[in-house]
C-alpha cells in the first residue's frame, strides 16, 4: 500500500495561490473538446500520466479485494492502470469504455493476449447491463464533469455492479470549497464564452471536494464509502454496493 501524503494548512494556502494564478493565465485560452484533447496528445499521453501518477498506476491493484473475475474500466485510455491489475488478476475479463479510439488502439496492442472488450462511447449514455461486473474503476477521468453528471454515472456504476461488488475511483479531489468554486467558475466561463453546447465534453478540471464526492456516491446507493489513500490532490476512494 502507498503512504499517505496529506497537505498541511500552509501547503493548501500556497496551492490555492498558485492555482488562482494559473487559472488567470489560462482564462482566455481556447477550450478543447475532450476526445480531441487526448487524440492530439496521444504520443506523450503515457509519459505525462506516469510522470504525475506513476505510484498510483503501479499500486492501484493493491486496493482491489480478490478474487474478481470481471472489471468495468471507465475512461480506460491507453490502459496504464491495467498493468497492475493484470499482474494481480491475470485472468480477469475487462470492459473498457473511452471516447478516444486512438488511445484504445494503443491499449489493444498492449494487451492483445488478454480478454478485453473495448467500447468507444460516452460512458454517461452507453447502456450498461444490471449486475454485470464484480468491480468498477475510474482513474483520473471524472474530475472533468460537473456535479449532476457525476450523480448520473455513479448511479449507473451502482446498477451495473453485482451485489457485494465495489467501485474504486482514483481522481483529483478539491482541497476545499474554494477550489471547487473557482474551477467551476472557470469551466462555466469558458463554456459560455465559447458558446459550447451542454452535451459537448470539454477538457477542463472541475474537481469536487471529498464531502461532495461521498455525498454523490451515497446518494447513488453505495452503502460504504471510504478513502483508502491520499496524495495531496489525488485520492483513491472505495464505494461498496
Amino acid at each position: 500500500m502507498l503512504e499517505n501524503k496529506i497537505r498541511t494548512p500552509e501547503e493548501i494556502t500556497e496551492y490555492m495561490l498558485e492555482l488562482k494564478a494559473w487559472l488567470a493565465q489560462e482564462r482566455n485560452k481556447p477550450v478543447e473538446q475532450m476526445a480531441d484533447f487526448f487524440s492530439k496528445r496521444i504520443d506523450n499521453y503515457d509519459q505525462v500520466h506516469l510522470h504525475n501518477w506513476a505510484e498510483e498506476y503501479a499500486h492501484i491493484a493493491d486496493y482491489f479485494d480478490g478474487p474478481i473475475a470481471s472489471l468495468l474500466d471507465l475512461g480506460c485510455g491507453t490502459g496504464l492502470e491495467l498493468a497492475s491489475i493484470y499482474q494481480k488478476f491475470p485472468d480477469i475479463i475487462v470492459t473498457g469504455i473511452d471516447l478516444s479510439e486512438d488511445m484504445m488502439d494503443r491499449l489493444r496492442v498492449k494487451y492483445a493476449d488478454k480478454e478485453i472488450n473495448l467500447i468507444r462511447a460516452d460512458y454517461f449514455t452507453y447502456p450498461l447491463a444490471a449486475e454485470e461486473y464484480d468491480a468498477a474503476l475510474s482513474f483520473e477521468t471524472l474530475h472533468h464533469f460537473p456535479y449532476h453528471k457525476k450523480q448520473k454515472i455513479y448511479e449507473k456504476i451502482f446498477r451495473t455492479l453485482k451485489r457485494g461488488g465495489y467501485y474504486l475511483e482514483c481522481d483529483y479531489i478539491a482541497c476545499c470549497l474554494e477550489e471547487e468554486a473557482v474551477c467551476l467558475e472557470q469551466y462555466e466561463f469558458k463554456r459560455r464564452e465559447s458558446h459550447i453546447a451542454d452535451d459537448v465534453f470539454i477538457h477542463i478540471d472541475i474537481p469536487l471536494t471529498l464531502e461532495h464526492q461521498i455525498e454523490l456516491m451515497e446518494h447513488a446507493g453505495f452503502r460504504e464509502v471510504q478513502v483508502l489513500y491520499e496524495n495531496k490532490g489525488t485520492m483513491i476512494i472505495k464505494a461498496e454496493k
Side-chain angles (χ1 to χ4, degrees):
M1 295 290 185
L2 295 170
E3 182 179 347
N4 288 328
K5 300 169 187 173
I6 300 172
R7 287 189 180 112
T8 65
E10 293 76 18
E11 287 173 327
I12 290 174
T13 298
E14 182 180 357
Y15 167 73
M16 286 303 302
L17 289 173
E18 292 172 354
L19 174 65
K20 289 177 187 176
W22 181 82
L23 289 172
Q25 179 182 317
E26 296 289 309
R27 186 72 168 176
N28 296 307
K29 290 185 179 180
V31 68
E32 293 183 75
Q33 292 189 27
M34 192 74 72
D36 292 343
F37 177 91
F38 288 110
S39 291
K40 289 176 183 175
R41 293 161 178 81
I42 185 65
D43 290 335
N44 66 351
Y45 174 86
D46 284 12
Q47 180 182 353
V48 169
H49 277 241
L50 288 172
H51 175 75
N52 291 325
W53 302 291
E55 289 191 336
E56 288 79 4
Y57 280 119
H59 292 276
I60 189 64
D62 296 347
Y63 300 93
F64 280 85
D65 300 323
I68 55 173
S70 57
L71 173 70
L72 174 65
D73 189 353
L74 297 155
C76 58
T78 62
L80 291 172
E81 63 282 357
L82 295 179
S84 170
I85 291 167
Y86 279 133
Q87 210 169 27
K88 186 171 183 177
F89 307 106
D91 299 319
I92 194 170
I93 299 171
V94 175
T95 297
I97 305 178
D98 202 279
L99 287 173
S100 173
E101 189 68 36
D102 292 330
M103 289 201 291
M104 288 193 295
D105 285 343
R106 299 284 177 99
L107 196 162
R108 285 187 187 95
V109 172
K110 285 182 187 177
Y111 300 113
D113 61 331
K114 296 296 184 181
E115 189 170 352
I116 184 165
N117 176 34
L118 297 179
I119 303 164
R120 183 182 179 276
D122 167 7
Y123 48 61
F124 290 100
T125 60
Y126 185 82
L128 296 171
E131 299 192 6
E132 181 78 7
Y133 302 99
D134 295 319
L137 168 69
S138 72
F139 201 114
E140 295 295 336
T141 180
L142 290 182
H143 62 273
H144 299 300
F145 304 105
Y147 191 94
H148 69 282
K149 294 289 286 185
K150 281 190 171 184
Q151 184 66 80
K152 290 180 180 178
I153 197 61
Y154 291 144
E155 289 168 357
K156 287 186 71 172
I157 293 168
F158 182 83
R159 287 194 299 270
T160 202
L161 287 171
K162 296 176 183 177
R163 295 185 183 278
Y166 56 90
Y167 165 60
L168 283 183
E169 178 172 313
C170 179
D171 216 336
Y172 168 23
I173 304 298
C175 67
C176 54
L177 285 171
E178 184 182 16
E179 180 178 9
E180 183 178 308
V182 296
C183 289
L184 181 60
E185 191 281 329
Q186 181 98 325
Y187 170 88
E188 292 176 340
F189 170 81
K190 283 182 173 284
R191 293 196 82 102
R192 186 171 61 250
E193 292 298 304
S194 299
H195 307 287
I196 297 171
D198 290 342
D199 61 347
V200 175
F201 296 146
I202 58 175
H203 188 270
I204 295 181
D205 294 346
I206 46 171
L208 297 180
T209 62
L210 176 61
E211 291 74 17
H212 285 158
Q213 290 283 110
I214 292 174
E215 178 181 83
L216 287 174
M217 291 176 178
E218 290 180 341
H219 189 266
F222 289 102
R223 62 181 173 84
E224 185 173 349
V225 181
Q226 56 182 319
V227 177
L228 303 181
Y229 165 75
E230 178 176 353
N231 180 9
K232 299 182 179 179
T234 297
M235 292 188 189
I236 295 176
I237 302 170
K238 182 178 183 180
E240 299 180 20
K241 181 169 180 176

